[in-house]
Amino acid sequence: MVGIDEFFKGQHTGKQPSKARATGTSRKRKEQPVNSASNPINLEDSEDEHTLEAKKPSNQLKAGVSVEIVDEEPQPRKRQRATAPAPKAKASSPKKSPKSKIQSAEAGTAEALLSQIPSVDLDAVHVKETAQFDFRSNGNAGDSSQAAAEEANFPEGAPNCLLGLTIVFTGQLPTIERGVAEAIAKRYGARVTKSISSKTSVVVLGDEAGPKKLEKIKQLKIKAIDEDGFKQLVAGMPEEGGDGSAAEKARQKLKQQEEKAQKDAAEMIKVEEEQREKARRVQSKANTADKREPVREEDKLWTVKYAPTSLQHICGNKTSVNKLKTWLSNWRTYQKQGFKNAGRDGFGVFRAAMVYGPPGIGKTTAAHLAAKELGYDILERNASDVRSKSLLNAGVKNALDNTSVVGFFKSKHDGDVNQKNFVIIMDEVDGMSGGDRGGVGQMAQFCRKSSMPMILICNERNSPKMRPFDRVCLDIQFRRPDPTSIKARLMTVAVREKFQLDPNIIDKLVEATRGDIRQLINLLSTISTTTKKIGHENAQEIAKAWEKNIALKPFDIAHKLFDGRIYSDVGSKSFPLYKKIELYFDDFDFAPLMIQENYLQTRPSVLKPGQSHLAAVADAAESISQGDLVERKIRSSEQLWSLLPFHAIMSSVRPASKVAGQMAGRINFTSWLGQNSKMGKYYRLLQEIQYHTRLSTSTDKLGLRMDYMPTMKKRLLDPLVERGNDAVPEVIQTMDDYYLSKEDWDSIMEFMIGSDKTDLQIKKIPTAVKSGFTRKYNSMVHPVAIYKTGSTTAVGAKPAATPDFEDIVDADDNVPPADEDEESKEDTDFKKDKLIKQGKPKVASKRAGSTAKKSAAAKKRKTK
Amino acid sequence: MTSIFYKDEVLLREFNTNWKAQLTGKMSLWVDKYRPKSLDALTHTPRLTHLLKSLSVEPRDLPHLLFYGPNGAGKKTRCMALLQSIFGSGVYKLKIDVRQFTTPSNRKLELNVVSSPYHLEITPSDMGNNDRIVIQELLKEVAQMEQVDFQTASGAETGGLAHRYKCVIINEADSLTRDAQAALRRTMEKYSRNIRFIMLCESMSSMIAPIKSRCLLVRTPAPTTQETADALVKVGGQEKVTVEDEAILNTIAESCDGNLRKALLTFESMALNNEMCLKSSTALIRADWVVVILKMANRILKDRSVSSLVECRATLYDLLAHCIPAKVIIQELAFALLDAIHNDNHKIAVVQWASVFDERLRLGNKPIYHLEGFIARVMCEVDG
């Protein structure tokens, strides 16, 4: 512990004025409330009335501590009492515990202690203005070492000393971070809420508290204390929250919880015993036939052991579970109505349900339990099965119309209708990947016509892969359960496993695992092997180690970055800049693209006064544009990867911050990739066309596209539209002039955009003309501009032989025919050659004999 | 080794007729049909023609040439006419063959090389960043080879020595990377006995100084409006287009900003659409993409909202995907906006933002970002 003396010396600003106040006038008292030097203190007389008003006794406080509000007159006396313990502690011992005992002896209840702590003068509190946001100071928020130091600086209280108190922290506390203060309060059993209500027992006020909150405090007449007051409170309160009624209540509640956990555990043990007994009996009946020992309870994974056994046991998501159950139980009714009648809840048209949500919150369990409770047999397929289109057809399709064999035999005894039926559970639908070709589409198809209920389960409902399931499935979302609903279950587990678990830290663990119950139980299981206790000492550490370090998907990144709340002053404290940058780093290829795709789709909540949506969008667009320059530096030859954080700001965080708010629709996947590859395709086509036309034109690719193509289209398409078959020879002539193939013709048509789009015009051409055109074109021989000569090696400075030069042909005619060996070699050569059509021996033979060489070649061909 | 290409007589015939057709000028599009084939036939900029003629008189010391000038000003035409005057009409007997290159990373690349017996024509920028390999391998290979002077007969008219060197035309020289340009500079000097370069580019700004200093710089200016109109009249006369009012030709010429190619193509389009008869009232035909951009400009000014921006994005993607370069889009868009805006302050703002985002287009990677930013800014400015 840091020396108490020092600690108290450190807060002289808080103490001394209060002493002074004890003797001084009421005006002097006003100087004390906030101990920060930077805090302007309002000394104006007119403020006096407000001060008094705030201190009037309140009868409105219902729950918890009815804070005793002190009147103007008796105050000096009480002050003396309040300040008394401090010097005493100083004198008696530097150790905390004796001191707190002394204090608790003096003030047994929270009410009494609170009344000793000076109230804060509400009007003197520096109200937050639209202050410049200083990201540096907030950047420190998550600095754990600092937080730890702050915590160490804090006086230690008795365990659970704040039990039963509801505390609200507001504004910036002078020496400790708000988050830390909240953690401290929670540690001592207090309930920490964000907003002030009539149930609030005490407000800890800091600098720059929101004006609304101050008003509320005044209105509800709640005791407001400052940081020092809070310290005193913690230090002064006796163990288990003293003897106050609220503390008593809270204690009882805790006790109840514990008892319930114990009861549950006992019950569980009982059930287990029964089961074991049963199993033993069955085994003895079946006797030696089955020697296999059942898995011992102790050997089971905790997650299996403590898996919910009925729908009631599922933590949280009650409505979703009910929705699933209702749908499944009414499924036969829906079927009888032919899935035409939507019904009041709109479930009636769905043959399939899609359960989705993050992992570890009981989706699969819920599906199984729902089926089991309603007596359905289960056919499950998950990612461990190959689920391609053909295999689904082979495996699942047959099942769709069948009834269960198990159910058939069972139903003889029970007569349960559902027994004959089964439900198909398709787990991990979004895990369908490359190997499962066509699986998703096929599955969606099944969803449309299945005569058995289907439950599909996935994590990512929003991903484009899941689009086929839109409107074919009943969407049931599972959310992360909140800590309170998990608490009871975890406590049961802890009791059952004889494991000490402090209920107050469950919140922390839940937060660390992001509501993943499965992981929580795994976590407990792991820790139980090493220590037998999770308390405050190791909670932090454990939480840190188990913090889910999952990279978010691009959709989630965009969703989070566009959330307007994280850019408010409050939000940016809990989600500071570095965390926003971390979002970008979760997928730094996609994050900027997703931001760019969706930044026009938000309803901004962060607009400055007078700023239009359009202006905000323009700012965002400009930032994105600047971000692109950074990206170029990173990805080009310079490879300045250290600029990535800068790119994060420019391309993602900053633009998102300009337009953040609510999303106006679903988050779209980036279209840039698709457009880019489309552009690539068109550039390849253009290159091809340019190569072909190059002999006749003199322009480059872009000139060809921008200048030639509109006119070319007029030459190539319009005659066909206007004159039909008559124009075919003319069009073909034009194509030959430019060495265009039929494919080029098609691609030139594709290039036209806007009102000149050719689709409609092409549709207008009668089919007869079109096919006539194709036939005519194919029946003719066309000049080809390009042919491949194989490799570069053979060709020297002299260009490769030119087939189309008359003069050279003449010169070559004098060359004596090459001998047979060479001929045969060449023969194989031109088989590969595109230019030489082997399929026309007739023509070749007719013309054979013009020169010796040519005839030799022709003969060769004839012999084949 | 030349013989293998003469095997199929049918094809040969086909080619020959085709070549005859080409040489006698029966191309379909007027712009190619009436392309001047010799120095004497060149129409505009007589001073330049004079210079080229004087170069062709002494072909033995033809310097390396660097033609620069705007699109459609006739760089290639002049270059070919010059070659024709040196080597004869053989230079128009073109063919294309595909050459394969292997990059250091073992990727196979293909480059199409257009060649006649007297020259090669390459577009190294087709290879993107690998253009250096083309320069190093192909050009060196060509440059190191002594040209065999086997056709002494034709040599007589050009002084017998003209065939000693081979001309290499490098298209789009301004898009050569710096590496490629550096690879080129020494080749230009070392093998100048065997090889002459004729480079064509739009702007010299991206050419490195050593290259510039090794070349004779030939500025090829765009024809004036009058010269363009004259060219149109000439073509129109031969194609029997009735032009009722010369004003329409001027309108075409003006709309094409001295791009003679564009002017001729537009002229042909309009003639085709109006049964070979142009009146002064005939509507000017703009290319499909220009129409799209004009429409977008109107939308930007009329409906300044975020939803309108979303639609603009779709249009931009469409334009970009169909190979309209971003710099052309921003330029056309800015001019279209300037025409439609009447407030001077807004005009200044448009020009300012256009220049800002034009720079970013060049510095950045993803054109759509900058175009969208430009439109958003313009909407804001016009909104006030």
Side-chain angles (χ1 to χ4, degrees), chain A residues 543-568:
Chain A
K544 196 132 227 163
W546 281 79
E547 191 145 353
K548 271 201 172 173
N549 209 358
I550 40 161
L552 288 173
K553 303 266 158 38
F555 288 97
D556 300 328
I557 297 172
H559 197 272
K560 279 206 155 177
L561 277 174
F562 280 129
D563 189 343
R565 281 168 296 177
I566 60 168
Y567 299 100
S568 64

PDB file of all heavy atoms in Angstrom, chain A residues 543-568:
ATOM      1  N   ALA A 543      -9.107 -12.838 -17.348  1.00  0.00           N
ATOM      2  CA  ALA A 543      -9.927 -12.201 -18.371  1.00  0.00           C
ATOM      3  C   ALA A 543      -9.062 -11.809 -19.553  1.00  0.00           C
ATOM      4  O   ALA A 543      -9.431 -11.987 -20.710  1.00  0.00           O
ATOM      5  CB  ALA A 543     -10.621 -10.980 -17.793  1.00  0.00           C
ATOM      6  N   LYS A 544      -7.923 -11.306 -19.234  1.00  0.00           N
ATOM      7  CA  LYS A 544      -7.027 -10.861 -20.296  1.00  0.00           C
ATOM      8  C   LYS A 544      -6.591 -12.039 -21.165  1.00  0.00           C
ATOM      9  O   LYS A 544      -6.615 -11.993 -22.392  1.00  0.00           O
ATOM     10  CB  LYS A 544      -5.807 -10.225 -19.647  1.00  0.00           C
ATOM     11  CG  LYS A 544      -5.047  -9.414 -20.638  1.00  0.00           C
ATOM     12  CD  LYS A 544      -4.661  -8.070 -20.204  1.00  0.00           C
ATOM     13  CE  LYS A 544      -4.968  -7.007 -21.226  1.00  0.00           C
ATOM     14  NZ  LYS A 544      -4.946  -5.705 -20.629  1.00  0.00           N
ATOM     15  N   ALA A 545      -6.206 -13.099 -20.470  1.00  0.00           N
ATOM     16  CA  ALA A 545      -5.699 -14.259 -21.197  1.00  0.00           C
ATOM     17  C   ALA A 545      -6.768 -14.888 -22.076  1.00  0.00           C
ATOM     18  O   ALA A 545      -6.490 -15.438 -23.131  1.00  0.00           O
ATOM     19  CB  ALA A 545      -5.155 -15.285 -20.208  1.00  0.00           C
ATOM     20  N   TRP A 546      -8.000 -14.793 -21.614  1.00  0.00           N
ATOM     21  CA  TRP A 546      -9.061 -15.469 -22.353  1.00  0.00           C
ATOM     22  C   TRP A 546      -9.824 -14.522 -23.273  1.00  0.00           C
ATOM     23  O   TRP A 546     -10.800 -14.906 -23.886  1.00  0.00           O
ATOM     24  CB  TRP A 546     -10.020 -16.124 -21.387  1.00  0.00           C
ATOM     25  CG  TRP A 546      -9.448 -17.400 -20.888  1.00  0.00           C
ATOM     26  CD1 TRP A 546      -8.500 -17.536 -19.921  1.00  0.00           C
ATOM     27  CD2 TRP A 546      -9.743 -18.707 -21.360  1.00  0.00           C
ATOM     28  NE1 TRP A 546      -8.180 -18.844 -19.748  1.00  0.00           N
ATOM     29  CE2 TRP A 546      -8.940 -19.599 -20.616  1.00  0.00           C
ATOM     30  CE3 TRP A 546     -10.607 -19.227 -22.323  1.00  0.00           C
ATOM     31  CZ2 TRP A 546      -8.971 -20.966 -20.820  1.00  0.00           C
ATOM     32  CZ3 TRP A 546     -10.639 -20.593 -22.511  1.00  0.00           C
ATOM     33  CH2 TRP A 546      -9.830 -21.455 -21.773  1.00  0.00           C
ATOM     34  N   GLU A 547      -9.393 -13.308 -23.271  1.00  0.00           N
ATOM     35  CA  GLU A 547     -10.104 -12.348 -24.101  1.00  0.00           C
ATOM     36  C   GLU A 547     -10.146 -12.870 -25.525  1.00  0.00           C
ATOM     37  O   GLU A 547      -9.140 -13.291 -26.083  1.00  0.00           O
ATOM     38  CB  GLU A 547      -9.392 -11.003 -24.080  1.00  0.00           C
ATOM     39  CG  GLU A 547     -10.209  -9.928 -24.681  1.00  0.00           C
ATOM     40  CD  GLU A 547      -9.999  -8.605 -23.969  1.00  0.00           C
ATOM     41  OE1 GLU A 547      -9.320  -8.569 -22.923  1.00  0.00           O
ATOM     42  OE2 GLU A 547     -10.511  -7.630 -24.461  1.00  0.00           O
ATOM     43  N   LYS A 548     -11.300 -12.870 -26.066  1.00  0.00           N
ATOM     44  CA  LYS A 548     -11.441 -13.417 -27.416  1.00  0.00           C
ATOM     45  C   LYS A 548     -10.664 -12.548 -28.374  1.00  0.00           C
ATOM     46  O   LYS A 548     -10.941 -11.377 -28.545  1.00  0.00           O
ATOM     47  CB  LYS A 548     -12.910 -13.428 -27.808  1.00  0.00           C
ATOM     48  CG  LYS A 548     -13.579 -14.686 -27.414  1.00  0.00           C
ATOM     49  CD  LYS A 548     -14.818 -14.875 -28.250  1.00  0.00           C
ATOM     50  CE  LYS A 548     -15.388 -16.248 -27.993  1.00  0.00           C
ATOM     51  NZ  LYS A 548     -16.674 -16.419 -28.656  1.00  0.00           N
ATOM     52  N   ASN A 549      -9.720 -13.155 -28.979  1.00  0.00           N
ATOM     53  CA  ASN A 549      -8.924 -12.369 -29.904  1.00  0.00           C
ATOM     54  C   ASN A 549      -9.308 -12.736 -31.316  1.00  0.00           C
ATOM     55  O   ASN A 549      -8.513 -13.196 -32.104  1.00  0.00           O
ATOM     56  CB  ASN A 549      -7.439 -12.644 -29.650  1.00  0.00           C
ATOM     57  CG  ASN A 549      -6.633 -11.445 -30.019  1.00  0.00           C
ATOM     58  OD1 ASN A 549      -7.189 -10.457 -30.495  1.00  0.00           O
ATOM     59  ND2 ASN A 549      -5.349 -11.522 -29.828  1.00  0.00           N
ATOM     60  N   ILE A 550     -10.558 -12.543 -31.612  1.00  0.00           N
ATOM     61  CA  ILE A 550     -10.993 -12.940 -32.942  1.00  0.00           C
ATOM     62  C   ILE A 550     -10.950 -11.738 -33.866  1.00  0.00           C
ATOM     63  O   ILE A 550     -11.262 -10.625 -33.470  1.00  0.00           O
ATOM     64  CB  ILE A 550     -12.420 -13.516 -32.923  1.00  0.00           C
ATOM     65  CG1 ILE A 550     -13.287 -12.692 -31.977  1.00  0.00           C
ATOM     66  CG2 ILE A 550     -12.393 -14.962 -32.531  1.00  0.00           C
ATOM     67  CD1 ILE A 550     -14.735 -12.847 -32.198  1.00  0.00           C
ATOM     68  N   ALA A 551     -10.543 -12.009 -35.065  1.00  0.00           N
ATOM     69  CA  ALA A 551     -10.585 -10.945 -36.066  1.00  0.00           C
ATOM     70  C   ALA A 551     -12.013 -10.840 -36.565  1.00  0.00           C
ATOM     71  O   ALA A 551     -12.660 -11.836 -36.846  1.00  0.00           O
ATOM     72  CB  ALA A 551      -9.651 -11.298 -37.206  1.00  0.00           C
ATOM     73  N   LEU A 552     -12.478  -9.633 -36.644  1.00  0.00           N
ATOM     74  CA  LEU A 552     -13.853  -9.433 -37.080  1.00  0.00           C
ATOM     75  C   LEU A 552     -13.950  -9.606 -38.582  1.00  0.00           C
ATOM     76  O   LEU A 552     -12.991  -9.433 -39.310  1.00  0.00           O
ATOM     77  CB  LEU A 552     -14.315  -8.031 -36.699  1.00  0.00           C
ATOM     78  CG  LEU A 552     -14.558  -7.818 -35.209  1.00  0.00           C
ATOM     79  CD1 LEU A 552     -14.837  -6.365 -34.956  1.00  0.00           C
ATOM     80  CD2 LEU A 552     -15.707  -8.674 -34.752  1.00  0.00           C
ATOM     81  N   LYS A 553     -15.132  -9.918 -39.027  1.00  0.00           N
ATOM     82  CA  LYS A 553     -15.386 -10.032 -40.458  1.00  0.00           C
ATOM     83  C   LYS A 553     -15.575  -8.622 -41.035  1.00  0.00           C
ATOM     84  O   LYS A 553     -15.965  -7.706 -40.307  1.00  0.00           O
ATOM     85  CB  LYS A 553     -16.655 -10.844 -40.684  1.00  0.00           C
ATOM     86  CG  LYS A 553     -16.607 -12.213 -40.064  1.00  0.00           C
ATOM     87  CD  LYS A 553     -16.123 -13.216 -41.090  1.00  0.00           C
ATOM     88  CE  LYS A 553     -15.551 -14.458 -40.460  1.00  0.00           C
ATOM     89  NZ  LYS A 553     -16.188 -14.966 -39.277  1.00  0.00           N
ATOM     90  N   PRO A 554     -15.320  -8.469 -42.319  1.00  0.00           N
ATOM     91  CA  PRO A 554     -15.475  -7.139 -42.909  1.00  0.00           C
ATOM     92  C   PRO A 554     -16.823  -6.498 -42.600  1.00  0.00           C
ATOM     93  O   PRO A 554     -16.898  -5.302 -42.343  1.00  0.00           O
ATOM     94  CB  PRO A 554     -15.332  -7.407 -44.401  1.00  0.00           C
ATOM     95  CG  PRO A 554     -14.483  -8.615 -44.489  1.00  0.00           C
ATOM     96  CD  PRO A 554     -14.787  -9.438 -43.283  1.00  0.00           C
ATOM     97  N   PHE A 555     -17.864  -7.299 -42.588  1.00  0.00           N
ATOM     98  CA  PHE A 555     -19.187  -6.728 -42.316  1.00  0.00           C
ATOM     99  C   PHE A 555     -19.252  -6.144 -40.921  1.00  0.00           C
ATOM    100  O   PHE A 555     -19.773  -5.049 -40.711  1.00  0.00           O
ATOM    101  CB  PHE A 555     -20.257  -7.802 -42.459  1.00  0.00           C
ATOM    102  CG  PHE A 555     -20.502  -8.194 -43.876  1.00  0.00           C
ATOM    103  CD1 PHE A 555     -19.888  -9.297 -44.414  1.00  0.00           C
ATOM    104  CD2 PHE A 555     -21.335  -7.436 -44.672  1.00  0.00           C
ATOM    105  CE1 PHE A 555     -20.093  -9.649 -45.725  1.00  0.00           C
ATOM    106  CE2 PHE A 555     -21.552  -7.780 -45.988  1.00  0.00           C
ATOM    107  CZ  PHE A 555     -20.926  -8.885 -46.511  1.00  0.00           C
ATOM    108  N   ASP A 556     -18.698  -6.891 -39.967  1.00  0.00           N
ATOM    109  CA  ASP A 556     -18.747  -6.407 -38.591  1.00  0.00           C
ATOM    110  C   ASP A 556     -17.873  -5.177 -38.418  1.00  0.00           C
ATOM    111  O   ASP A 556     -18.212  -4.271 -37.667  1.00  0.00           O
ATOM    112  CB  ASP A 556     -18.288  -7.508 -37.632  1.00  0.00           C
ATOM    113  CG  ASP A 556     -19.165  -8.737 -37.743  1.00  0.00           C
ATOM    114  OD1 ASP A 556     -20.360  -8.541 -38.025  1.00  0.00           O
ATOM    115  OD2 ASP A 556     -18.662  -9.858 -37.592  1.00  0.00           O
ATOM    116  N   ILE A 557     -16.762  -5.173 -39.125  1.00  0.00           N
ATOM    117  CA  ILE A 557     -15.880  -4.013 -39.028  1.00  0.00           C
ATOM    118  C   ILE A 557     -16.632  -2.779 -39.492  1.00  0.00           C
ATOM    119  O   ILE A 557     -16.678  -1.755 -38.803  1.00  0.00           O
ATOM    120  CB  ILE A 557     -14.623  -4.206 -39.898  1.00  0.00           C
ATOM    121  CG1 ILE A 557     -13.806  -5.393 -39.381  1.00  0.00           C
ATOM    122  CG2 ILE A 557     -13.775  -2.951 -39.893  1.00  0.00           C
ATOM    123  CD1 ILE A 557     -12.672  -5.780 -40.287  1.00  0.00           C
ATOM    124  N   ALA A 558     -17.256  -2.888 -40.657  1.00  0.00           N
ATOM    125  CA  ALA A 558     -17.981  -1.742 -41.187  1.00  0.00           C
ATOM    126  C   ALA A 558     -19.092  -1.344 -40.233  1.00  0.00           C
ATOM    127  O   ALA A 558     -19.295  -0.173 -39.931  1.00  0.00           O
ATOM    128  CB  ALA A 558     -18.551  -2.083 -42.559  1.00  0.00           C
ATOM    129  N   HIS A 559     -19.776  -2.348 -39.714  1.00  0.00           N
ATOM    130  CA  HIS A 559     -20.892  -2.060 -38.822  1.00  0.00           C
ATOM    131  C   HIS A 559     -20.417  -1.298 -37.605  1.00  0.00           C
ATOM    132  O   HIS A 559     -21.026  -0.324 -37.182  1.00  0.00           O
ATOM    133  CB  HIS A 559     -21.536  -3.380 -38.413  1.00  0.00           C
ATOM    134  CG  HIS A 559     -22.899  -3.213 -37.850  1.00  0.00           C
ATOM    135  ND1 HIS A 559     -23.111  -2.982 -36.526  1.00  0.00           N
ATOM    136  CD2 HIS A 559     -24.099  -3.198 -38.451  1.00  0.00           C
ATOM    137  CE1 HIS A 559     -24.396  -2.847 -36.327  1.00  0.00           C
ATOM    138  NE2 HIS A 559     -25.031  -2.975 -37.477  1.00  0.00           N
ATOM    139  N   LYS A 560     -19.303  -1.763 -37.044  1.00  0.00           N
ATOM    140  CA  LYS A 560     -18.805  -1.116 -35.833  1.00  0.00           C
ATOM    141  C   LYS A 560     -18.315   0.297 -36.124  1.00  0.00           C
ATOM    142  O   LYS A 560     -18.561   1.219 -35.362  1.00  0.00           O
ATOM    143  CB  LYS A 560     -17.657  -1.944 -35.249  1.00  0.00           C
ATOM    144  CG  LYS A 560     -18.134  -3.108 -34.443  1.00  0.00           C
ATOM    145  CD  LYS A 560     -17.092  -3.479 -33.407  1.00  0.00           C
ATOM    146  CE  LYS A 560     -17.733  -4.190 -32.241  1.00  0.00           C
ATOM    147  NZ  LYS A 560     -16.772  -4.635 -31.253  1.00  0.00           N
ATOM    148  N   LEU A 561     -17.600   0.431 -37.222  1.00  0.00           N
ATOM    149  CA  LEU A 561     -17.028   1.746 -37.510  1.00  0.00           C
ATOM    150  C   LEU A 561     -18.117   2.770 -37.824  1.00  0.00           C
ATOM    151  O   LEU A 561     -17.948   3.954 -37.581  1.00  0.00           O
ATOM    152  CB  LEU A 561     -16.043   1.646 -38.678  1.00  0.00           C
ATOM    153  CG  LEU A 561     -14.642   1.183 -38.316  1.00  0.00           C
ATOM    154  CD1 LEU A 561     -13.812   0.980 -39.553  1.00  0.00           C
ATOM    155  CD2 LEU A 561     -13.960   2.166 -37.384  1.00  0.00           C
ATOM    156  N   PHE A 562     -19.210   2.306 -38.376  1.00  0.00           N
ATOM    157  CA  PHE A 562     -20.280   3.236 -38.713  1.00  0.00           C
ATOM    158  C   PHE A 562     -21.223   3.491 -37.550  1.00  0.00           C
ATOM    159  O   PHE A 562     -22.214   4.176 -37.691  1.00  0.00           O
ATOM    160  CB  PHE A 562     -21.080   2.726 -39.913  1.00  0.00           C
ATOM    161  CG  PHE A 562     -20.406   2.989 -41.214  1.00  0.00           C
ATOM    162  CD1 PHE A 562     -20.220   1.981 -42.134  1.00  0.00           C
ATOM    163  CD2 PHE A 562     -19.958   4.264 -41.525  1.00  0.00           C
ATOM    164  CE1 PHE A 562     -19.594   2.219 -43.336  1.00  0.00           C
ATOM    165  CE2 PHE A 562     -19.339   4.506 -42.725  1.00  0.00           C
ATOM    166  CZ  PHE A 562     -19.153   3.490 -43.642  1.00  0.00           C
ATOM    167  N   ASP A 563     -20.915   2.880 -36.413  1.00  0.00           N
ATOM    168  CA  ASP A 563     -21.763   3.092 -35.254  1.00  0.00           C
ATOM    169  C   ASP A 563     -21.488   4.478 -34.676  1.00  0.00           C
ATOM    170  O   ASP A 563     -20.393   4.760 -34.219  1.00  0.00           O
ATOM    171  CB  ASP A 563     -21.449   2.010 -34.218  1.00  0.00           C
ATOM    172  CG  ASP A 563     -22.438   2.039 -33.077  1.00  0.00           C
ATOM    173  OD1 ASP A 563     -23.123   3.072 -32.945  1.00  0.00           O
ATOM    174  OD2 ASP A 563     -22.527   1.057 -32.342  1.00  0.00           O
ATOM    175  N   GLY A 564     -22.476   5.331 -34.715  1.00  0.00           N
ATOM    176  CA  GLY A 564     -22.276   6.715 -34.293  1.00  0.00           C
ATOM    177  C   GLY A 564     -21.862   6.859 -32.845  1.00  0.00           C
ATOM    178  O   GLY A 564     -21.226   7.831 -32.462  1.00  0.00           O
ATOM    179  N   ARG A 565     -22.197   5.855 -32.035  1.00  0.00           N
ATOM    180  CA  ARG A 565     -21.961   6.028 -30.600  1.00  0.00           C
ATOM    181  C   ARG A 565     -20.486   6.068 -30.244  1.00  0.00           C
ATOM    182  O   ARG A 565     -20.097   6.718 -29.297  1.00  0.00           O
ATOM    183  CB  ARG A 565     -22.641   4.901 -29.834  1.00  0.00           C
ATOM    184  CG  ARG A 565     -24.125   5.132 -29.688  1.00  0.00           C
ATOM    185  CD  ARG A 565     -24.787   3.887 -29.195  1.00  0.00           C
ATOM    186  NE  ARG A 565     -24.668   2.814 -30.169  1.00  0.00           N
ATOM    187  CZ  ARG A 565     -25.122   1.591 -29.958  1.00  0.00           C
ATOM    188  NH1 ARG A 565     -25.672   1.277 -28.831  1.00  0.00           N
ATOM    189  NH2 ARG A 565     -25.000   0.670 -30.898  1.00  0.00           N
ATOM    190  N   ILE A 566     -19.666   5.372 -31.014  1.00  0.00           N
ATOM    191  CA  ILE A 566     -18.262   5.307 -30.613  1.00  0.00           C
ATOM    192  C   ILE A 566     -17.508   6.594 -30.932  1.00  0.00           C
ATOM    193  O   ILE A 566     -16.342   6.718 -30.626  1.00  0.00           O
ATOM    194  CB  ILE A 566     -17.524   4.115 -31.270  1.00  0.00           C
ATOM    195  CG1 ILE A 566     -17.561   4.230 -32.785  1.00  0.00           C
ATOM    196  CG2 ILE A 566     -18.098   2.807 -30.824  1.00  0.00           C
ATOM    197  CD1 ILE A 566     -16.621   3.246 -33.452  1.00  0.00           C
ATOM    198  N   TYR A 567     -18.178   7.545 -31.565  1.00  0.00           N
ATOM    199  CA  TYR A 567     -17.496   8.802 -31.866  1.00  0.00           C
ATOM    200  C   TYR A 567     -17.912   9.927 -30.934  1.00  0.00           C
ATOM    201  O   TYR A 567     -17.369  11.007 -30.984  1.00  0.00           O
ATOM    202  CB  TYR A 567     -17.740   9.211 -33.316  1.00  0.00           C
ATOM    203  CG  TYR A 567     -17.217   8.175 -34.266  1.00  0.00           C
ATOM    204  CD1 TYR A 567     -18.055   7.256 -34.852  1.00  0.00           C
ATOM    205  CD2 TYR A 567     -15.847   8.098 -34.543  1.00  0.00           C
ATOM    206  CE1 TYR A 567     -17.568   6.287 -35.695  1.00  0.00           C
ATOM    207  CE2 TYR A 567     -15.353   7.129 -35.381  1.00  0.00           C
ATOM    208  CZ  TYR A 567     -16.218   6.223 -35.967  1.00  0.00           C
ATOM    209  OH  TYR A 567     -15.725   5.264 -36.798  1.00  0.00           O
ATOM    210  N   SER A 568     -18.921   9.661 -30.094  1.00  0.00           N
ATOM    211  CA  SER A 568     -19.293  10.687 -29.136  1.00  0.00           C
ATOM    212  C   SER A 568     -18.181  10.764 -28.085  1.00  0.00           C
ATOM    213  O   SER A 568     -17.334   9.880 -28.000  1.00  0.00           O
ATOM    214  CB  SER A 568     -20.614  10.318 -28.478  1.00  0.00           C
ATOM    215  OG  SER A 568     -20.438   9.139 -27.735  1.00  0.00           O
TER     216      SER A 568
END
